[in-house]
Amino acid sequence: MASTLTLKPGTAWSDAWQRCLAVAPEAFREDRVLNLWAGSWQADGRPLPAASPVDGSPIAGPPRLDSTTAQQAVRASLDQHRGWRHAPLPERRARIAAALDALTEHRELLALLLVWEIGKPWRLAQADVDRAIDGVRWYVDGIEPMLGDRVPLDGPVSNIASWNYPMSVLVHAMLVQALAGDAVIAKAPTDGGLACLTLACALIHREGVPVTLVSGSGSELSEALVRSPEIGCVSFVGGRDTGGRVATAVADLGKRHILEQEGLNCWGIWEYSDWDALSAVIPKLFDYGKQRCTAYPRFVVQRSLFDSFLAAYLPAVKSVRLGHPLAVAFPDDPLPELDFGPLINAAKAKELADQVAEAIDRGAVPLHRGSLDDSRFLSGQDTSAYLPPVTLLGPPPSSPLHHAEPFGPVDTIVLVDTEAELLAAMNASNGALVATLSCDNEETARRLASEVRAFKVGLGKPRSRGDREELFGGFGASWRGAFVGGELLVRAVTQGPAGERLPGNFPDYHLMPTAA
């Protein structure tokens, strides 16, 4: 069926870009964005071309700095830190609160930039912005008892984060760090979110909050952003390969660190019968195409329940909605309600499609392979970054889909016959951030949960990262360093009494997973 959709008026990338130029002319030029360091916007770095995952059209690319300039930016941030750490808490609170008001004023523009830059559907893009603002307001309102007698670190916090949650993970962390008395540095993710972060940092910088935002390759900037003696703490969110290199560097230097890394989050099905409840949650697990650290790409299913599982799972996965995030039939129509749009880029979509094909060649059984519905896209648009849901039974051990997080809408199912096999399959990636067990008997579920190597284990429901009262961390190779969330996020970026031991995943200190 040919498409009759058009782009909703006022939502084109050119519209968003012109609004950025009007709102923050100090941070944007007609043909590029700027880097923010030493307290001012700098027209340095080498801008690279970039394309929107939504339709392949050109958007703003990162102005990449070299290592020498990045080191200058770090030294300048230390100078800012030395002044900011002595600013009275009421002043810090007032400046952060003013920054939140500015972000709130431009909420819809920030969300629109997220749609174009990282492909989030409108509902999820708005939620990313709102979670950042609402989350930091919670800290602004309750920071005094969290800080107590604690003091800022000796140097700024360096933030290196993945592209998938620029606001609710990266900007949220930066503002809490600044509220705690630290100057903050952020590396703009290479794959997306640059304009959104630039606008957010422009609004924050105007309020006198010491933020630095630079672009560049990880290999080029790591010496400055990870190894520099001026850095007081390294906060990293990303994959295990890069995270492993960062972990080695901070261990060698004895530097404070928060390293969140990927893990294969699993949903176990054992002695279970409430299939309506499972069917209701399956589409929600596909939010943003499972491009998030708490996604569930693996189901570990008791073999005797496999037929019942499929009867609940397949209709649910077939109901998942995928399409162009800004396409409407009529100008006054609301933006489409989608579970996800494109993946972060066409290369990622191809990588996953190739992995699926290779796994099938090696013995995996394709249970479901979705297709793109032309009626959900603009006529003739580039759809190379879109990958419909895929479900495979029994990925072979030689496939990356067997042991690693796909970071996309590819589910794998493993069948087991014993509790020991269930636990072994759920612990396949040597640690994860979250997991879930669906069992009719809660006592059995809690007993099994204690053996799952995930930090948060849900009982019949998914677990999330959490930003407020609930702490967050991981086990095994999914986490290194201080745990965060609530008061622990503040403790992770401040200094307490001499000899204090921070809760976290350090070689000699572990907390038990939490089940709920």
Side-chain angles (χ1 to χ4, degrees):
M1 176 178 173
S3 173
T4 59
L5 301 183
T6 61
L7 201 63
K8 187 172 179 66
T11 66
W13 169 256
S14 58
D15 296 323
W17 186 252
Q18 290 303 312
R19 290 170 66 184
C20 288
L21 290 170
V23 171
E26 71 273 25
F28 294 86
R29 297 290 182 267
E30 286 289 345
D31 61 342
R32 63 173 291 173
V33 301
L34 306 184
N35 288 298
L36 172 60
W37 62 275
S40 64
W41 292 94
Q42 315 270 0
D44 51 14
R46 180 171 59 91
L48 295 183
S52 170
V54 171
D55 61 4
S57 60
I59 59 173
R64 290 186 142 192
L65 296 181
D66 57 29
S67 57
T68 300
T69 309
Q71 188 61 62
Q72 293 174 346
V74 169
R75 286 194 291 268
S77 181
L78 177 61
D79 292 338
Q80 292 178 313
H81 179 81
R82 287 168 172 163
W84 181 253
R85 73 193 306 268
H86 296 296
L89 180 57
E91 178 184 344
R92 300 201 304 264
R93 287 183 60 183
R95 292 183 184 277
I96 299 297
L100 294 174
D101 290 342
L103 294 173
T104 301
E105 180 183 353
H106 298 287
R107 165 184 180 264
E108 290 199 355
L109 176 54
L110 291 163
L112 181 58
L113 292 169
L114 290 181
V115 175
W116 280 109
E117 294 192 286
I118 63 174
K120 284 201 169 182
W122 182 241
R123 169 180 62 88
L124 298 177
Q126 289 181 304
D128 192 14
V129 177
D130 291 343
R131 281 199 297 268
I133 296 169
D134 295 342
V136 179
R137 285 199 194 280
W138 182 84
Y139 283 92
V140 169
D141 293 340
I143 188 62
E144 286 94 340
M146 297 185 199
L147 275 176
D149 295 329
R150 305 184 69 81
V151 297
L153 300 174
D154 293 331
V157 181
S158 176
N159 294 271
I160 303 170
S162 57
W163 42 264
N164 53 343
Y165 286 91
M167 293 295 297
S168 62
V169 172
L170 182 52
V171 170
H172 177 279
M174 293 167 64
L175 287 174
V176 175
Q177 293 159 9
L179 181 63
D182 299 311
V184 294
I185 306 170
K187 175 187 172 298
T190 301
D191 288 321
L194 172 68
C196 178
L197 283 170
T198 300
L199 178 59
C201 285
L203 299 173
I204 294 166
H205 174 64
R206 285 179 184 175
E207 304 303 332
V209 180
V211 294
T212 294
L213 179 67
V214 295
S215 293
S217 71
S219 58
E220 185 81 7
L221 301 193
S222 63
E223 191 69 25
L225 300 185
V226 176
R227 292 184 171 274
S228 291
E230 293 92 344
I231 297 296
C233 176
V234 176
S235 176
F236 172 87
V237 179
R240 288 192 179 185
D241 290 343
T242 303
R245 292 190 290 271
V246 174
T248 299
V250 295
D252 291 344
L253 298 169
K255 194 182 295 291
R256 182 79 64 92
H257 56 283
I258 307 158
L259 308 181
E260 177 188 329
Q261 299 165 93
E262 64 188 296
L264 185 61
N265 306 319
C266 296
W267 194 301
I269 309 289
W270 188 259
E271 297 177 354
Y272 181 69
S273 62
D274 191 358
W275 302 111
D276 288 343
L278 181 68
S279 182
V281 80
I282 293 297
K284 299 174 185 176
L285 300 182
F286 279 89
D287 272 0
Y288 195 36
K290 302 204 173 190
Q291 296 177 106
R292 61 191 193 279
C293 66
T294 54
Y296 286 83
R298 168 67 51 82
F299 290 89
V300 182
V301 181
Q302 188 174 5
R303 190 182 307 272
S304 61
L305 300 179
F306 184 47
D307 55 342
S308 298
F309 171 82
L310 277 187
Y313 174 89
L314 288 176
V317 76
K318 291 175 182 178
S319 73
V320 170
R321 299 159 299 179
L322 165 66
H324 189 303
L326 301 171
V328 295
F330 300 99
D332 292 336
D333 284 353
L335 289 170
E337 283 288 331
L338 301 174
D339 296 296
F340 66 101
L343 301 190
I344 186 57
N345 51 47
K348 178 62 180 180
K350 182 180 185 304
E351 172 192 297
L352 278 181
D354 289 346
Q355 288 181 2
V356 167
E358 182 181 55
I360 293 171
D361 285 345
R362 297 180 181 180
V365 178
L367 298 177
H368 173 71
R369 280 188 278 191
S371 59
L372 298 182
D373 180 353
D374 289 343
S375 67
R376 292 184 181 270
F377 297 92
L378 303 182
S379 179
Q381 79 159 85
D382 183 345
T383 58
S384 58
Y386 293 79
L387 181 72
V390 178
T391 308
L392 300 180
L393 173 65
S398 59
S399 168
L401 297 175
H402 177 79
H403 55 79
E405 179 182 24
F407 225 64
V410 178
D411 279 351
T412 57
I413 300 172
V414 174
L415 302 182
V416 296
D417 296 298
T418 67
E419 289 185 356
E421 290 177 322
L422 174 82
L423 293 171
M426 293 189 71
N427 293 329
S429 67
N430 182 28
L433 301 174
V434 298
T436 289
L437 281 160
S438 288
C439 303
D440 288 342
N441 187 295
E442 185 173 324
E443 182 179 343
T444 299
R446 291 190 178 277
R447 175 173 54 80
L448 293 171
S450 67
E451 300 295 326
V452 175
R453 295 284 293 167
F455 186 71
K456 293 183 179 182
V457 182
L459 303 184
K461 62 183 180 181
R463 300 305 309 273
S464 66
R465 193 175 194 273
D467 290 318
R468 299 185 179 182
E469 293 92 340
E470 189 178 41
L471 61 88
F472 188 59
F475 276 109
S478 69
W479 196 278
R480 289 289 185 274
F483 289 152
V484 295
E487 182 180 350
L488 289 191
L489 177 52
V490 175
R491 290 174 64 183
V493 295
T494 54
Q495 299 181 75
E500 174 190 46
R501 174 182 279 180
L502 290 173
N505 190 350
F506 298 98
D508 60 344
Y509 189 67
H510 297 281
L511 293 181
M512 292 301 294
T514 56

